[in-house]
Amino acid sequence: MIRIQYVYDLVGLILVLSSLYTFRDRANPRRITTGLFYALYGLAFILADVLPSFVLGLVVIAIVLLAGFGGVRTGSYGEADAADREASRARLGNRLFIPAVLIPVLTVAGVEGLSRIHVGALPLLDPTNVTLVALGIAAVIALIVAWIITRSSPVTSLREARRLIEAIGWAAVLPQMLAVLGTLFASAGVGTVVARLANHVIPHHSLFWAVFAYCVGMAVFTMIMGNAFAAFPVMTAGIAIPLIIGHFGVDADRVAAIGMFAGYCGTLLTPMAANFNIVPAALLGLRSQYAVIRAQWPTAVIILAVNILLMYAVAKW
């Protein structure tokens, strides 16, 4: 069986190998602390199922302290100059997009095709995380195709991976941290508080207003927390499960899928989603760090409205 842990191991290995380059980079004024940050981050991917929870917690605290006290900086990456990049772009043309397009195409193909294959009594793909395993396989295949197209090497890929991950910086850990934050909020009973408020505000006979409150709440909580995964357990426990699913009997899978999509609309609207909105502005050298948000807020609002109507329509069916 191709397990999800193999994907995590690969991600962790890339981070650990990248950190070795960082430790040797004298152009980075914080090369030791920066290298340690990415090494610990990579080891957390590889050893999460092996380390005791207490030890893993110490690793997470160390990662936070290294980033919080300014220990994560960028260095030197030996990039090609503008003329060489332009020559490469002209030579490769639109073939550069092939690896990027392959990833979603092969992921869907893997979910729809490989998930049905069994080797003996075991499924080929980990049944608990079929999509992520298929995504990992697709990424590896796309990487090999990229090597062939560009006539590059794995070493070049590793150096570019390091350049990109260090350009993102500490924000790379935000998805995991914010997902944990959502779980903590749910465990602390925030979902129960939201449910009480919803019972006082939302008319019990109105499916539309329950859907409206859930979708808008997902977007707003995502804006506060920076990630839809953090908002999901709170809003789903507070509104979706007791009202939309429990009271009105709407299919849970559909509610969860559209609800997450509504949350993603909030991702487009918040600087808290730094890895999506602030880091790209820095990478592109935009004058304002909020330029990405300003460009995409109309799209976010329109999609949120569509999600509300879509969930209501699905619920009525």
Side-chain angles (χ1 to χ4, degrees):
M1 182 193 298
I2 303 176
R3 302 179 184 276
I4 185 61
Q5 185 58 45
Y6 300 161
V7 179
Y8 294 152
D9 290 342
L10 179 59
V11 173
L13 180 63
I14 292 171
L15 288 166
V16 170
L17 293 177
S18 297
S19 73
L20 299 180
Y21 283 100
T22 302
F23 282 126
R24 300 173 56 190
D25 184 5
R26 297 189 179 277
N28 188 331
R30 298 284 190 274
R31 62 190 179 94
I32 301 300
T33 53
T34 303
L36 188 59
F37 175 87
Y38 292 110
L40 290 175
Y41 189 31
L43 289 174
F45 274 98
I46 298 171
L47 301 177
D49 287 344
V50 179
L51 292 177
S53 299
F54 178 77
V55 176
L56 188 60
L58 293 178
V59 171
V60 173
I61 291 173
I63 290 173
V64 172
L65 291 176
L66 287 169
F69 285 96
V72 181
R73 302 287 182 86
T74 56
S76 174
Y77 308 103
E79 298 176 77
D81 57 31
D84 289 339
R85 290 199 299 270
E86 177 60 25
S88 178
R89 184 204 63 77
R91 177 175 63 86
L92 296 171
N94 290 333
R95 287 182 294 164
L96 281 171
F97 293 101
I98 295 176
V101 173
L102 277 177
I103 293 176
V105 171
L106 292 178
T107 300
V108 173
V111 171
E112 296 298 327
L114 296 181
S115 61
R116 298 185 175 91
I117 298 176
H118 284 67
V119 179
L122 294 175
L124 178 63
L125 304 186
D126 189 341
T128 61
N129 286 282
V130 172
T131 303
L132 284 180
V133 174
L135 174 61
I137 295 172
V140 171
I141 295 174
L143 178 60
I144 295 172
V145 171
W147 290 340
I148 296 171
I149 292 174
T150 61
R151 300 174 187 173
S152 188
S153 68
V155 173
T156 302
S157 300
L158 183 59
R159 289 174 176 169
E160 283 299 299
R162 177 211 165 201
R163 180 181 66 82
L164 288 173
I165 194 67
E166 290 193 6
I168 296 172
W170 61 267
V173 305
L174 274 178
Q176 291 95 329
M177 296 293 186
L178 291 172
V180 172
L181 179 63
T183 303
L184 290 175
F185 269 62
S187 299
V190 177
T192 303
V193 175
V194 172
R196 290 173 183 169
L197 291 173
N199 284 329
H200 284 88
V201 175
I202 302 172
H204 282 249
H205 64 277
S206 176
L207 172 61
F208 174 80
W209 287 113
V211 168
F212 181 89
Y214 177 54
C215 290
V216 173
M218 276 294 299
V220 171
F221 260 74
T222 297
M223 292 175 65
I224 295 171
M225 297 182 176
N227 192 296
F229 291 101
F232 184 77
V234 174
M235 297 307 300
T236 302
I239 298 178
I241 292 176
L243 287 178
I244 303 175
I245 298 172
H247 183 64
F248 291 103
V250 183
D251 181 76
D253 291 340
R254 296 179 178 182
V255 172
I258 302 174
M260 282 296 291
F261 201 11
Y264 296 152
C265 297
T267 303
L268 301 178
L269 298 170
T270 177
M272 287 295 291
N275 50 331
F276 287 102
N277 299 328
I278 304 302
V279 171
L283 293 177
L284 295 171
L286 303 181
R287 293 181 180 180
S288 172
Q289 63 176 338
Y290 304 117
V292 174
I293 297 175
R294 290 172 181 166
Q296 62 197 16
W297 77 261
T299 302
V301 172
I302 293 171
I303 295 176
L304 178 58
V306 171
N307 281 322
I308 293 171
L309 296 176
L310 177 61
M311 185 180 292
Y312 180 68
V314 167
K316 293 292 287 185
W317 290 341

